[in-house]
Amino acid sequence: MHPTAGFFAGWAILLDYLLVPTLLYVFAAESMVGIFPGTPRWLWALVFVAINTVINLAGVSSLKLANRIFLLIELVFVVVFVVIAVIALTGGTVPGASFSTDQVFDPAKVSAPLIASALSIAVLSFLGFDGISTLSEESTGRRGGAGLAMILALVIVAFLFVVQTWLASALAAGRDSFSDSEAGNAFFTIVEQASSSGWATAFFAVNVLAVGIANAMAAQAATSRLLFSMSRDRQLPAFLHKLNGRQVPQNAILVVSVLSAILVLFFVGQIDTISSLVNFGALFGFMLLHVSVFVHHIVKGKSRNWLLHLVVPLIGFLIIGYVLLNAAVEAKVGGIVWLIVGAGVFLYYRSTGRSTEVGSEEPGTLGEGDPTGAPVSSTTASPISTDEDHR
């Protein structure tokens, strides 16, 4: 649309990316407390920060291998949960629980405000697919592979989410709320009621691996690549786009790790607050994305495909705008403050004669192991860097 719009889209999405690793560490720490009651949450969060930093610094091949292993484990436990749920629902293990479509849609309970609240949760759950785009330079697949991967990730994850949420809601047997002490680990309470405490502990452990390591590892990789590219475009300090011998942005990775370590000390135990801030940054950036589709195709490209290039982005823009208007007050205040800070940065760049346009080509190409700088490792980093938050 315009370099200024590009700057603020990047600045807004930066809020999302900088906070997502912290959010995942907070989720994982909550699960660890479920396994080891009474232990400090902040300590577990820092342990996860250290583990993911080491894996990311080892290079994209290590990242790829770790993601494949964790993804396999997660999929196995998805199947296990489905089996447990079906047995419990058909065998009467949980009093009052049975198969029903009420958990999918109940006209008596559905309202516009409820949908808006549900959308904010769904946004948080699905965030992460966009992180695939930050790894496109390290892919050796065919052109457009990152775009296809994002679409496939959304379709697959949507299917898995609907199945798991439906079954878990059915197992809740009409219970519509949990106490503050239960809310963070409500899913595991349901698993324990449907099977045994042994399975609940196993799911706790897998959730820790999925959120605290697999997802946070991919989120840290995506965030560091965003800092790398913004630095290469001279929107952030130059040291952030320096590569080490493994052709990974070492300084950017370390900055994300240090920032996450500091933020978890403030946000540990405050899942709602940090979730709202993450949503604001992503949704604001996505609103501008929908506008850019219209400008690029209709205004500049003179497209007459009104359905894809006008109607679809307009519907998306209105949905996202509705969710933002109904967001928590803390999210709107924090998001506006972040944008004001961005405006200050923007004006500083302009006053000092620094360009605010993105897309400049400076030395530094991501990729691993090739002395010419060409990327030789395909990345299949988990497309669901925040997708197991509520599993």
Side-chain angles (χ1 to χ4, degrees), residues 187-200 204:
F187 175 82
F188 308 104
T189 301
I190 291 174
V191 171
E192 184 174 0
Q193 293 173 346
S195 55
S196 67
S197 59
W199 274 117
F204 261 123

Side-chain angles (χ1 to χ4, degrees), residues 294 298 302-313:
F294 168 76
I298 300 293
K302 307 301 180 182
S303 170
R304 292 298 176 263
N305 190 337
W306 304 114
L307 176 62
L308 285 182
H309 299 150
L310 176 60
V311 176
V312 170

Side-chain angles (χ1 to χ4, degrees), residues 238-252:
F239 80 95
L240 290 173
H241 73 264
K242 302 298 182 184
L243 304 177
N244 65 9
R246 293 181 178 272
Q247 294 299 100
V248 295
Q250 176 176 299
N251 292 342

Side-chain angles (χ1 to χ4, degrees), residues 214-244:
N215 296 342
M217 176 176 59
Q220 186 180 42
T223 304
S224 64
R225 269 63 175 182
L226 179 66
L227 296 181
F228 168 88
S229 61
M230 291 184 72
S231 172
R232 190 173 54 184
D233 289 339
R234 301 186 64 194
Q235 305 302 304
L236 292 176
F239 80 95
L240 290 173
H241 73 264
K242 302 298 182 184
L243 304 177
N244 65 9

Side-chain angles (χ1 to χ4, degrees), residues 58-381:
V60 72
S61 292
S62 299
L63 186 70
K64 179 177 65 175
L65 177 61
N67 268 277
R68 287 178 172 175
I69 293 173
F70 286 123
L71 181 60
L72 177 61
I73 295 173
E74 292 170 41
L75 291 175
V76 168
F77 270 79
V78 169
V79 174
V80 170
F81 170 67
V82 171
V83 172
I84 288 175
V86 171
I87 292 175
L89 290 171
T90 55
T93 304
V94 179
S98 62
F99 280 111
S100 171
T101 58
D102 287 345
Q103 293 84 26
V104 179
F105 184 75
D106 185 349
K109 298 179 180 178
V110 174
S111 63
L114 178 65
I115 292 175
S117 300
L119 278 173
S120 66
I121 298 174
V123 166
L124 178 67
S125 301
F126 281 87
L127 282 179
F129 73 92
D130 50 300
I132 295 174
S133 64
T134 67
L135 295 161
S136 58
E137 285 188 37
E138 293 160 279
S139 173
T140 58
R142 65 179 179 81
R143 184 179 178 84
L148 177 61
M150 285 190 282
I151 299 300
L152 288 175
L154 282 173
V155 172
I156 295 170
V157 170
F159 173 76
L160 293 177
F161 275 7
V162 169
V163 170
Q164 292 175 87
T165 306
W166 179 23
L167 293 176
S169 298
L171 289 172
R175 184 174 180 177
D176 58 4
S177 64
F178 291 85
S179 66
D180 291 340
S181 60
E182 293 178 304
N185 294 312
F187 175 82
F188 308 104
T189 301
I190 291 174
V191 171
E192 184 174 0
Q193 293 173 346
S195 55
S196 67
S197 59
W199 274 117
T201 302
F203 272 91
F204 261 123
V206 171
N207 184 68
V208 169
L209 293 176
V211 178
I213 299 181
N215 296 342
M217 176 176 59
Q220 186 180 42
T223 304
S224 64
R225 269 63 175 182
L226 179 66
L227 296 181
F228 168 88
S229 61
M230 291 184 72
S231 172
R232 190 173 54 184
D233 289 339
R234 301 186 64 194
Q235 305 302 304
L236 292 176
F239 80 95
L240 290 173
H241 73 264
K242 302 298 182 184
L243 304 177
N244 65 9
R246 293 181 178 272
Q247 294 299 100
V248 295
Q250 176 176 299
N251 292 342
I253 292 172
L254 292 175
V255 166
V256 174
S257 299
V258 172
L259 183 62
S260 297
I262 295 172
L263 289 176
V264 294
L265 299 178
F266 290 96
F267 287 109
V268 70
Q270 301 183 55
I271 293 176
D272 289 343
T273 301
I274 189 172
S275 298
S276 298
L277 288 172
V278 167
N279 279 351
F280 183 95
L283 291 176
F284 187 88
F286 289 164
M287 284 184 71
L288 289 178
L289 173 64
H290 284 74
V291 176
S292 72
V293 171
F294 168 76
V295 173
H296 178 74
H297 289 287
I298 300 293
V299 177
K300 296 182 178 180
K302 307 301 180 182
S303 170
R304 292 298 176 263
N305 190 337
W306 304 114
L307 176 62
L308 285 182
H309 299 150
L310 176 60
V311 176
V312 170
L314 178 60
I315 293 174
F317 181 89
L318 292 176
I319 291 174
I320 295 172
Y322 182 74
V323 175
L324 270 180
L325 286 176
N326 288 274
V329 175
E330 298 87 351
K332 288 185 278 194
V333 171
I336 291 172
V337 169
W338 178 254
L339 291 177
I340 291 174
V341 173
V345 173
F346 179 84
L347 292 174
Y348 170 76
Y349 282 177
R350 283 298 179 90
S351 64
T352 56
R354 205 165 156 184
S355 173
T356 55
E357 293 192 29
V358 298
S360 61
E361 293 297 331
E362 289 194 13
T365 300
L366 289 166
E368 186 178 21
D370 187 340
T372 66
V376 296
S377 300
S378 71
T379 54
T380 54

